[in-house]
């Protein structure tokens, strides 16, 4: 998959490293108030084998405050500009805002991660113009309130229908099929039972014919099942990553790149979805 001149190889499972730059972030195990620290963390993830680095300036955790365009740009642009010069892997911009998409791609990003699936006004048109791959994610409700009482009749069927409809809308707008990725959006307007059911049924999303991205790393479903805080969720995150790959995930969005890479290389060695060494 071409990401503005940098390639994302989807013949093997790809690791997307999470680089949050929100000052209120707790999900990355530290605060990234400084550009230096963020760039350093991005370089470390690249050295640890990240295939793509996801940079976000708007916390999408439940109850998070909305961020203005200027604020989001202030946070992400300096990091994208510097990191894209020192790493080879593509950089993904985690945003729903067309203005941020545009500025980020111009600064050196090559992939759009939109948790709102290009539904914001002008987002679809911007993605078409920028001509980079896009991840379309499912979310029920809005980040501020989505976890209050999520309800589905059939979570797998409803998420699949939503993603199918978004794929159709993208193709109708002129986006190319080979530039689209889908994501059920674990934790975005879903109960623990919904998340577990979606992971169990993830292989059904293969029918949609696009690479599947799964973001399960350190998420609160682990906290709810095991009663562990975010910095104690590595083992469980690895278990969920392996299950996601076994059920068809092509890209894993994770905080712990080196550890996830080992777990997935081992999974690939067993299932032989990888190419044979020397071939
Ligand atoms: C602890 C750790 C608690 C992480 C909460 C969280 C996804 C995503 C996020 C995802 C795609 C998060 C931006 C939420 N999750 N993008 N973004 N898929 N495509 N929460 O699952 O990591 S942020």
């Amino acid at each position: 998959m071409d990401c503005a001149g940098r390639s994302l190889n989807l013949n093997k499972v790809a690791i997307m490293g999470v680089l949050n730059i929100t000052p209120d972030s707790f999900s990355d195990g530290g605060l990234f108030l400084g550009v230096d620290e963020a760039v350093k963390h991005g370089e470390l993830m690249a050295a640890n084998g990240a295939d793509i680095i996801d940079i976000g300036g708007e916390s999408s955790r439940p109850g998070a405050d909305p961020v203005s365009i200027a604020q989001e740009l202030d946070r992400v642009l300096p990091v994208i500009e510097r990191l894209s010069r020192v790493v080879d892997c593509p950089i993904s911009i985690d945003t729903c805002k067309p203005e941020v998409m545009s500025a980020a791609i111009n600064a050196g990003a090559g992939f759009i991660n939109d948790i709102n699936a290009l539904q914001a006004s002008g987002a679809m048109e911007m993605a078409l113009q920028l001509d980079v791959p896009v991840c379309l994610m499912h979310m029920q409700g809005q980040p501020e309130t989505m976890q209050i009482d999520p309800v589905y009749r059939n979570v797998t069927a409803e998420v699949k229908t939503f993603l199918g409809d978004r794929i159709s809308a993208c193709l109708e707008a002129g986006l190319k099929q080979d530039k689209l990725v889908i994501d059920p959006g674990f934790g975005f307007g879903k109960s623990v039972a919904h998340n577990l059911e979606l992971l169990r049924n993830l292989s059904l999303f293969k029918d949609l014919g696009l690479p599947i991205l799964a973001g399960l790393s350190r998420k609160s479903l682990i906290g709810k099942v095991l009663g562990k805080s975010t910095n104690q969720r590595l083992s469980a995150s690895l278990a969920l990553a392996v299950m996601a790959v076994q059920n068809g995930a092509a890209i894993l969005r994770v905080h712990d790149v080196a550890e996830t890479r080992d777990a997935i290389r081992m999974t690939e060695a067993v299932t032989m979805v990888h190419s044979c060494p020397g071939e």
Side-chain angles (χ1 to χ4, degrees), residues 4-116:
R6 298 179 191 214
S7 84
L8 178 59
N9 177 9
L10 294 182
N11 295 320
K12 62 177 179 74
V13 174
I15 308 290
M16 170 185 268
V18 177
L19 184 51
N20 280 321
I21 321 179
T22 49
D24 61 340
S25 171
F26 64 102
S27 59
D28 48 39
L31 300 173
F32 286 117
L33 299 170
V35 177
D36 285 358
E37 285 85 347
V39 172
K40 215 181 283 174
H41 187 228
E43 284 185 86
L44 180 66
M45 289 197 292
N48 283 341
D51 300 288
I52 181 164
I53 294 170
D54 190 41
I55 298 185
E58 177 181 25
S59 179
S60 36
R61 80 179 211 229
D65 290 331
V67 167
S68 74
I69 293 167
Q71 224 175 339
E72 207 176 322
L73 289 173
D74 280 350
R75 290 177 185 177
V76 298
L77 285 187
V79 180
I80 295 170
E81 279 165 9
R82 278 183 47 192
L83 190 60
S84 64
R85 287 199 192 100
V86 294
V87 300
D88 292 327
C89 70
I91 290 170
S92 155
I93 176 66
D94 156 22
T95 192
C96 307
K97 302 186 182 77
E99 298 87 351
V100 178
M101 293 173 188
S102 173
I105 300 302
N106 281 314
F111 185 103
I112 296 168
N113 178 24
D114 186 351
I115 63 166
N116 200 30

Side-chain angles (χ1 to χ4, degrees), residues 114-119 124 134-140 155-171 177 180-186 190 198 201-202 204-214:
D114 186 351
I115 63 166
N116 200 30
L118 301 179
Q119 294 177 104
M124 180 78 77
V134 182
C135 178
L136 306 167
M137 200 196 78
H138 174 272
M139 168 166 53
Q140 185 184 80
V155 67
T156 307
E158 287 172 45
V159 172
K160 191 172 167 186
T161 297
F162 170 84
L163 291 174
D165 290 348
R166 293 313 297 154
I167 294 166
S168 300
C170 287
L171 297 178
Q177 167 123 9
L180 298 176
V181 170
I182 51 168
D183 182 340
F186 292 104
K190 283 119 187 157
L198 276 173
N201 293 332
L202 194 67
L204 297 174
F205 290 86
K206 288 193 267 188
D207 294 343
L208 295 170
L210 295 176
I212 300 166
L213 190 154

